[in-house]
Amino acid sequence: MRTFTSYLRVLFILTIVFILAEYFIDSGDIPAFIKYPQVSLFLGLFAVLLIGLEVMIAAMNSVTRAISPQVDLEHQKENEFTWFKKIVDKLMDSAPLEKEAEIIMDHNYDGIQELDNTLPPWWKYGFYATIVFAIIYMVRFEILGADNQYVELEKEVAAATIAIEQYRKTAKDLIDAENVVLLTEASDLKAGEGIYNTLCVACHRMDGGGGIGPNLTDEYWILGGGIKNIFNTISEGGRSGKGMVSWKQSLKPSEIQQVASYVMSLSANNPADGKAPEGDIWNNDSAALE
Ligand code: HEC
C-alpha cells in the first residue's frame, strides 16, 4: 500500500481512533483524554504500536528489495493492497459456485437440497462480537450495577439543578429593578453604608437628611419610594439636570441593592434639621415601580 506515506497513515489511523474515543467516552465538558489518563495512555500505546508496525514493514520491504532488486517494481505492483485483499477473502470465505457439487448434502426433499457451506466469516465474527459485547454488558450493568441511562439522566439533572441554584445564589448580578428585594442582613447593610458614605454623602448628607439631593429619611419621594423605585433611581439616575447620575456603570447590581437597602434604613434617622420634604408620600404597601 504505497498510496499513503507511512507517517500519514499512522496519523490518519490515530486520528480516527482518537475521534472515536472522544465520541464514545462520556466525559462531560472536559475532553476524555484529559479527564481519563487511561485514554491518553491507550492512545500513546496505540501510537507506539502503529509506528512499530510501520518500522517493521519498512524494514521487511528494504530486505526484499535488497534480495531481489529487479523484480521489485513488478512485485510491488501485484502486491499492492494484498493485505486488504487477504482480509476480504478471509471475511468472504465460502465455497465458490463451481465447487457446490462437493458440498451438497445427500438428502433430497422433493427436489430441495442443502449445501453444507460455511457461514460467512464476517457474519460469524459479528456474532462473536455480539457475544463479547453481551458479556461485557451483563457484567457491567447486571453484576457490577453500573447506572443505566435513566439513572445517568437523573443524576445529571440533579447535578445541573444544584449548579443552577448555586449560580443563582452567587450571581447577584441577575438582580434588576423588577426582582430586587430589600436586604436586611447586617453585613449587606454595612456594605451599603460603605458605598453610601463614599459616593452619596456629598449630596445626601451622612444621615440622609439631604443637601444638594433630597432628604432620604422622610416618607416623601420624588422618584418613588420602596426598594424597587430606589434601586431604579440609583441605577438609572434622577431626572436629567438635577444632579443625580446613573450609578449602574460604577456599581454592580448587587451593590446597588445593598446601598438601596441602606437608603431605606435611613428613615430611622429622621434628623430634625433635614431638608424639607419633596415629592409625594410613598405608600409602603405598594412596591410597584413608579
Ligand atoms: C451630585 C449629587 C448627588 C450624588 C453624589 C448622589 N445623589 Fe442621589 N440625588 C441627587 C439629586 C439632585 C436627586 C434628585 C433627583 C431628581 O429630582 O430627579 C437625587 C435623588 C436620589 C434618590 C431619589 C430620592 C427621591 O426623593 O425620589 C435616591 C434614592 C438617591 N438620590 C440615592 C442616591 C445614592 C444611593 C447615591 C450614591 C450612590 C446618590 N444618590 C448620590 C443628588 C445626588
Side-chain angles (χ1 to χ4, degrees):
M1 195 173 113
R2 307 188 76 202
T3 16
F4 275 147
T5 36
S6 80
Y7 58 89
L8 275 183
R9 188 163 48 216
V10 169
L11 210 67
F12 179 70
I13 298 176
L14 206 63
T15 311
I16 290 182
V17 174
F18 177 80
I19 291 172
L20 286 179
E22 286 301 323
Y23 183 76
F24 283 109
I25 298 174
D26 178 15
S27 55
D29 295 337
I30 312 157
F33 77 100
I34 293 176
K35 188 163 176 190
Y36 305 112
Q38 309 91 290
V39 175
S40 315
L41 191 74
F42 165 76
L43 288 171
L45 286 179
F46 192 64
V48 170
L49 195 96
L50 281 181
I51 294 168
L53 216 70
E54 291 298 332
V55 170
M56 236 167 65
I57 293 174
M60 262 152 64
N61 277 350
S62 56
V63 168
T64 329
R65 229 170 285 147
I67 295 170
S68 49
Q70 313 92 319
V71 284
D72 185 31
L73 258 180
E74 200 71 353
H75 171 82
Q76 236 163 28
K77 242 225 131 54
E78 95 195 14
N79 276 342
E80 246 174 49
F81 295 111
T82 39
W83 62 274
F84 183 70
K85 286 178 200 148
K86 263 187 215 154
I87 289 179
V88 170
D89 282 350
K90 223 172 180 172
L91 288 180
M92 305 297 253
D93 177 43
S94 55
L97 274 181
E98 309 85 63
K99 291 199 175 158
E100 261 179 16
E102 289 172 21
I103 55 169
I104 201 149
M105 295 176 89
D106 52 8
H107 47 235
N108 184 334
Y109 305 100
D110 297 337
I112 298 174
Q113 284 178 287
E114 196 184 344
L115 290 179
D116 185 19
N117 213 338
T118 48
L119 282 170
W122 62 264
W123 187 91
K124 214 163 54 187
Y125 295 139
F127 181 62
Y128 293 155
T130 62
I131 294 177
V132 172
F133 179 85
I135 291 171
I136 295 173
Y137 187 91
M138 197 183 76
V139 170
R140 176 148 195 247
F141 291 102
E142 301 301 330
I143 298 176
L144 299 179
D147 295 339
N148 64 24
Q149 288 170 332
Y150 291 107
V151 179
E152 261 177 13
L153 176 71
E154 271 164 29
K155 278 192 179 164
E156 276 178 25
V157 168
T161 317
I162 293 171
I164 291 172
E165 264 166 31
Q166 210 58 36
Y167 175 73
R168 287 240 168 89
K169 248 185 241 160
T170 47
K172 290 195 174 155
D173 297 345
L174 291 176
I175 306 159
D176 60 25
E178 292 293 340
N179 65 20
V180 64
V181 290
L182 182 68
L183 298 171
T184 48
E185 291 281 327
S187 60
D188 285 319
L189 293 178
K190 193 98 200 114
E193 184 181 2
I195 297 168
Y196 183 89
N197 288 348
T198 339
L199 300 175
C200 322
V201 275
C203 300
H204 290 286
R205 230 170 75 175
M206 199 73 160
D207 58 8
I212 299 167
N215 191 330
L216 298 177
T217 63
D218 56 20
E219 303 173 280
Y220 292 83
W221 296 92
I222 306 169
L223 304 163
I227 185 69
K228 294 186 177 180
N229 285 311
I230 293 178
F231 181 99
N232 193 47
T233 304
I234 300 169
S235 170
E236 307 300 322
R239 297 167 296 174
S240 70
K242 293 286 180 181
M244 173 70 182
V245 296
S246 155
W247 294 94
K248 65 181 170 195
Q249 309 303 337
S250 37
L251 294 175
K252 282 193 253 164
S254 52
E255 293 171 328
I256 298 181
Q257 183 186 26
Q258 287 168 337
V259 70
S261 299
Y262 177 71
V263 165
M264 287 196 67
S265 75
L266 288 173
S267 61
N269 291 347
N270 202 13
D273 58 347
K275 214 176 161 192
E278 292 164 85
D280 302 314
I281 286 207
W282 175 256
N283 177 4
N284 254 342
D285 297 337
S286 136
L289 279 168
E290 276 267 281

